[in-house]
Amino acid sequence: MITSLQRMVFNLLEPVGLVWGVLVLLALWALSRKRWRLALAPAGLALLMFLVGSTGFSGWLLGRLEKQHLAPALEEVPAADAVVVLGGGFEPSRRDVFGLGVTADGDRLFMGLELMRLGKGRALVLGGAEAALPDGQKRVEADMVRRWLEAWRLPQAPVISLGGCDNTREEALKVAQLCQERGWKQVILVTSAYHMPRAVACFKTAGVPVFPVPCDFKTSVSLEGPPSFNLVPRYQGFVKMSLFVREQLAWALYRWRGWIQPD
């Protein structure tokens, strides 16, 4: 059984904990020499790392994004013309089954498949990026996932690949074209909860009526369990902070380019 002391030692040996520990030691050394100004930089960085990696601050920030679109129980989701699953859940892999490695956002596909099983859409639409491999070949995430689903005969409905998409804006434009060609009136949009606000705004700007169904929650907005506190900062808080900052920067960029229109 790992004790609290052993856990703290293990955390200190992780890269984030090791850097934090070095900063604390540097600050203490400077203070012991009464070199107050020299202590400011390591002490400030250590405090910032503590805030991000030890407290619930990062989760609180990311949770503000996750709270913006909370769908009802899946059984109550209205049926639509298609279920659109945005990419990002898989990456090319030489050794994994079907050449697919599941990423931290892989919940997106499982949510899409469950919605299809419940009869919420007449077609499953897959987004995703195109990856250029070192050998010069290219892999399209949506095409690879579609081959996997066809091999497993999932779902019992057409599966449409959007091809390689550079970003959410391109996915939205391609879905808008499908809506125009096929007469679709509404689609169910599936993506990670933290990404849903930008995705919904982008699709609406492209003229696609969507019903958002978020998944892949990263915070206590959905995840159950007691609140955690670590004396030594851990990487999870930095992951959440990274996702939050990335979404804020991407939102500003999309607004600047006109890909998101103000409400």
Side-chain angles (χ1 to χ4, degrees):
M1 187 124 182
I2 299 178
T3 65
S4 298
L5 180 59
Q6 288 174 323
R7 186 177 293 109
M8 186 175 69
V9 172
F10 291 156
N11 294 346
L12 276 170
L13 295 177
E14 293 180 352
V16 171
L18 188 60
V19 172
W20 178 79
V22 170
L23 289 172
V24 171
L25 290 176
L26 284 174
L28 292 175
W29 174 83
L31 290 173
S32 69
R33 298 293 191 276
K34 296 184 179 181
R35 302 177 67 176
W36 316 114
R37 292 184 180 180
L38 184 61
L40 284 178
L45 289 174
L47 181 60
L48 179 61
M49 291 185 67
F50 181 82
L51 179 65
V52 173
S54 293
T55 72
F57 181 66
S58 298
W60 175 76
L61 287 176
L62 194 63
R64 293 177 61 193
L65 297 179
E66 294 186 337
K67 288 178 180 178
Q68 293 186 31
H69 295 282
L70 295 176
L74 296 187
E75 292 76 11
E76 300 174 8
V77 173
D81 295 298
V83 174
V84 178
V85 178
L86 300 189
F90 297 87
E91 59 188 2
S93 172
R94 295 192 194 92
R95 303 287 183 261
D96 290 304
V97 178
F98 292 101
L100 288 168
V102 183
T103 72
D105 297 331
D107 291 358
R108 300 176 183 185
L109 179 63
F110 297 106
M111 176 63 82
L113 288 174
E114 177 62 10
L115 289 167
M116 294 298 296
R117 188 186 71 83
L118 294 173
K120 301 301 181 179
R122 292 184 292 158
L124 177 65
V125 180
L126 303 174
E130 179 181 83
L133 303 184
D135 59 6
Q137 298 183 7
K138 295 183 178 181
R139 298 286 188 275
V140 176
E141 177 186 342
D143 293 344
M144 298 172 70
V145 174
R146 181 175 61 180
R147 285 195 291 270
W148 167 40
L149 295 180
E150 289 175 347
W152 281 57
R153 298 180 182 179
L154 293 172
Q156 300 300 314
V159 178
I160 302 170
S161 167
L162 295 178
C165 299
D166 290 334
N167 47 50
T168 305
R169 160 73 169 178
E170 192 167 341
E171 290 175 317
L173 292 178
K174 289 186 177 183
V175 173
Q177 184 176 357
L178 285 174
C179 290
Q180 184 177 7
E181 294 172 351
R182 301 178 181 231
W184 291 350
K185 302 301 182 184
Q186 187 178 54
V187 301
I188 296 173
L189 183 62
V190 176
T191 190
S192 300
Y194 70 86
H195 178 240
M196 187 62 82
R198 178 162 59 95
V200 168
C202 191
F203 270 70
K204 286 184 176 180
T205 300
V208 181
V210 298
F211 185 91
V213 177
C215 62
D216 184 36
F217 287 84
K218 310 290 189 185
T219 74
S220 59
V221 170
S222 176
L223 300 181
E224 296 181 330
S228 60
F229 173 82
N230 298 290
L231 179 61
V232 178
R234 307 211 54 208
Y235 74 92
Q236 289 91 341
F238 289 85
V239 172
K240 294 173 185 177
M241 181 62 72
S242 176
L243 292 174
F244 175 78
V245 171
R246 185 179 68 182
E247 283 302 310
Q248 297 307 304
L249 293 176
W251 181 277
L253 178 63
Y254 277 38
R255 282 292 301 272
W256 177 67
R257 290 187 173 181
W259 296 353
I260 291 177
Q261 298 296 332
D263 295 332

